[in-house]
Amino acid sequence: MDFNLEIFVEGIPYLLKGAVMTLRLTLISVSIGIILGLILSLGRISKNPVFRYSTGLYIEVIRGTPLLMQLLIIYYALPSIGLNLPAVTAAIVGLSLNSAAYVGEIFRGGIQSIEKGQMEAARSLGMTYFQAMRYIILPQAFRRILPPLTNEFASMLKESSLASTLAVTELLRSGRELVAWKANVFSPFIGVTLFYLIMTIPLTRLSSYLEKRLKKGD
Amino acid sequence: MIKVVNLHKKFKNLHVLKGISLEVKKGEVLVLIGPSGGGKSTLLKCINRLEEPTSGEIYIGEILITDQKVDINKIRQKVGMVFQLFNLFPHLSVLDNITLAPIKVKKINPELAKEKAYELLKRVGLLDKAKSFPSQLSGGQQQRVAIARALAMEPEVMLFDEPTSSIDPEMTKEVLDVIRQLALEGMTMIIATHEMGFAREVADWVIFLDQGKIIEQGPPSQIFFSPREERTISFLSKIL
């Protein structure tokens, strides 16, 4: 059961494949999450109570329940109402819907941190609400939310490990399969740990760099 | 050009404007004076409906703009506004600040918009700052860019909300000179200000606004030299 360098090295190509799947899940999910999150945040700050409360409710539900449960519902419960998703698709749907709630709150915070005068100035020039958002508010908000958004990528890299429960062979599941084949727990899991760190550390570093630069400039 | 009839504005329980009526003819300059919190800023923002009036009527030209069916974005193109805190767009260069709305809202050819922007920058004395960003400019320079930005839409009316209140005293002259020039050129304007010397000089009509009401109004000679109301006298004695 001890660490075995040979098993560790042999496992690397296999883990690499899993890491690629993890990266794919993360990139696709956060990208969809950003688009949906932007829509959610606009709903949250809307004057229309229907938009405001429905998006608020969505965010409450997603953030107030475990991601694992959300994934299990999408993969195991939806087929009973006729919605049969392949494992990878189910994982992407679950992770995206989850990410959207978090990204939505990040966007909302960023948008609301822009001085009220910016919207007033834009509207006073005859811009519509959406023109003002597109050309004035969002470009400024986006710079401010880059650090937390980068963090969201890092945390989604880790959270996507829950997709292993849907039989998606991402990084963690690749490690578990190695454990079973090689009858060694330690070596594959050390590999898995290192792979996660190699992916997350640059992101967290990037996030704090962006944050520092933002504090200086802005 | 601008007509306001019995305008009220309430924020929840706060009654900020209590039945304001006024009229500004084409080419006239109306100056609003009065203590902070007296309603000057809210009144200006109701005139381009940045604040939604609670009741009352506002006409710009022949158009009743308090009518909910009116396309307010169209109206705002004709009503330029300059803010106390400039509100320049910090992520855009001076040039882009000025050309953005003409290009995106009025759909003017970008080259033409640029040409016009340079012309305006020359007029406010900032031709060399076209490529700068707002954060690189002094308050007085930023406010002049903000005026150029508003003028780029070729408005028929200009609203100034305490344009020099957040500018260092030695920089106010350069801003006031630009506004003075506009007055000479016959721009219709409403200006809220604490600069009494300037007010006396450019105003055709002065309104003293306190606690949401017009306390006194008249030509500058009356308001500044022989005010009739107790509150006007006391306000002017404090500020002059």
Side-chain angles (χ1 to χ4, degrees):
Chain A
M1 284 304 265
D2 289 343
F3 180 73
N4 179 323
L5 189 64
E6 210 173 305
I7 293 180
F8 174 78
V9 173
E10 268 176 43
I12 286 178
Y14 193 71
L15 292 182
L16 195 60
K17 267 193 211 162
V20 168
M21 176 56 94
T22 289
L23 266 180
R24 258 180 64 197
L25 289 179
T26 304
L27 281 175
I28 297 175
S29 302
V30 178
S31 302
I32 299 174
I34 286 175
I35 296 166
L36 295 179
L38 177 59
I39 297 169
L40 280 175
S41 68
L42 292 178
R44 283 278 274 154
I45 58 172
S46 162
K47 279 188 187 143
N48 182 323
V50 177
F51 291 150
R52 208 168 55 235
Y53 289 118
S54 56
T55 51
L57 181 68
Y58 177 83
I59 289 171
E60 289 279 332
V61 169
I62 294 287
R63 298 212 307 174
T65 55
L67 171 57
L68 180 56
M69 187 197 87
Q70 296 159 16
L71 289 171
L72 293 178
I73 287 178
I74 289 169
Y75 191 54
Y76 292 110
L78 289 190
S80 66
I81 57 165
L83 205 60
N84 240 318
L85 297 177
V88 175
T89 313
I92 287 174
V93 169
L95 295 174
S96 303
L97 292 179
N98 183 273
S99 185
Y102 288 91
V103 174
E105 286 299 87
I106 294 174
F107 263 110
R108 183 180 63 85
I111 291 170
Q112 289 181 332
S113 78
I114 304 298
E115 299 67 25
K116 190 170 159 247
Q118 292 289 306
M119 179 57 95
E120 286 186 335
R123 298 304 305 273
S124 79
L125 290 163
M127 286 188 216
T128 63
Y129 178 80
F130 285 102
Q131 283 176 324
M133 271 290 166
R134 176 166 165 210
Y135 298 116
I136 305 303
I137 307 297
L138 289 178
Q140 295 183 60
F142 201 72
R143 285 188 49 203
R144 291 192 195 175
I145 67 170
L146 268 182
L149 211 52
T150 313
N151 268 334
E152 170 65 14
F153 269 102
S155 70
M156 189 49 75
L157 270 172
K158 295 176 284 174
E159 303 261 326
S160 67
S161 62
L162 288 171
S164 63
T165 55
L166 310 191
V168 174
T169 314
E170 42 65 76
L171 182 52
L172 180 61
R173 194 174 172 98
S174 311
R176 288 174 61 179
E177 286 173 358
L178 275 178
V179 168
W181 293 343
K182 308 281 182 185
N184 179 307
V185 180
F186 215 11
S187 311
F189 276 164
I190 288 210
V192 170
T193 307
L194 288 177
F195 266 108
Y196 273 119
L197 285 175
I198 289 169
M199 293 190 288
T200 54
I201 286 175
L203 283 173
T204 45
R205 284 288 154 82
L206 177 65
S207 172
S208 44
Y209 165 76
L210 289 170
E211 197 156 348
K212 265 187 217 125
R213 211 187 56 172
L214 203 60
K215 275 204 186 105
K216 256 189 283 167
D218 210 86
Chain B
M1 192 72 218
I2 305 171
K3 194 171 160 201
V4 175
V5 184
N6 198 22
L7 177 70
H8 285 262
K9 174 67 184 175
K10 286 180 195 165
F11 293 103
K12 300 218 167 92
N13 295 325
L14 203 63
H15 205 156
V16 185
L17 297 176
K18 302 167 184 164
I20 303 288
S21 298
L22 59 85
E23 198 172 343
V24 185
K25 297 209 174 65
K26 194 170 164 55
E28 269 187 0
V29 178
L30 167 65
V31 169
L32 302 174
I33 60 170
S36 302
K40 304 189 296 291
S41 183
T42 307
L43 172 57
L44 285 172
K45 283 178 183 171
C46 281
I47 291 175
N48 62 0
R49 272 184 47 202
L50 282 182
E51 294 290 355
E52 222 34 77
T54 308
S55 69
E57 289 167 353
I58 299 171
Y59 294 88
I60 297 201
E62 299 295 306
I63 304 164
L64 176 65
I65 68 145
T66 37
D67 183 346
Q68 293 301 317
K69 276 175 282 185
V70 132
D71 179 1
I72 193 65
N73 298 318
K74 271 265 168 338
I75 304 295
R76 286 186 183 137
Q77 294 177 36
K78 295 196 285 180
V79 183
M81 186 161 205
V82 173
F83 301 85
Q84 184 178 346
L85 295 171
F86 331 132
N87 298 346
L88 290 180
F89 308 133
H91 60 303
L92 299 178
S93 70
V94 163
L95 190 65
D96 290 339
N97 261 278
I98 300 174
T99 57
L100 182 70
I103 293 172
K104 300 297 178 190
V105 177
K106 273 187 145 180
K107 315 283 182 206
I108 284 175
N109 173 298
E111 282 309 310
L112 227 63
K114 228 189 228 176
E115 225 170 88
K116 169 98 185 158
Y118 278 117
E119 213 174 279
L120 285 164
L121 280 173
K122 194 172 165 197
R123 210 161 131 193
V124 299
L126 291 171
L127 200 50
D128 54 329
K129 301 292 184 193
K131 300 274 187 278
S132 304
F133 280 81
S135 59
Q136 299 166 317
L137 305 180
S138 73
Q141 292 171 330
Q142 288 193 47
Q143 193 61 299
R144 284 184 283 157
V145 172
I147 295 173
R149 177 177 70 179
L151 290 176
M153 294 298 283
E154 303 186 317
E156 292 167 21
V157 173
M158 285 285 284
L159 308 174
F160 290 86
D161 187 4
E162 299 197 22
T164 58
S165 288
S166 37
I167 297 176
D168 291 337
E170 68 266 33
M171 307 280 186
T172 56
K173 186 179 173 294
E174 59 193 38
V175 174
L176 296 180
D177 283 345
V178 170
I179 304 174
R180 227 176 247 129
Q181 189 57 38
L182 280 175
L184 285 177
E185 288 163 15
M187 175 65 81
T188 311
M189 297 193 276
I190 303 183
I191 307 172
T193 185
H194 289 297
E195 299 277 340
M196 294 304 149
F198 170 73
R200 203 154 49 201
E201 182 192 337
V202 299
D204 295 300
W205 195 256
V206 181
I207 286 181
F208 173 60
L209 203 62
D210 189 13
Q211 293 175 11
K213 281 188 194 143
I214 295 179
I215 305 298
E216 184 168 357
Q217 56 180 313
S221 55
Q222 176 203 322
I223 301 293
F224 292 111
F225 297 111
S226 50
R228 289 165 196 162
E229 296 293 326
E230 201 53 51
R231 262 144 85 187
T232 319
I233 296 167
S234 121
F235 171 75
L236 287 173
S237 72
K238 270 183 236 152
I239 205 155
L240 285 178

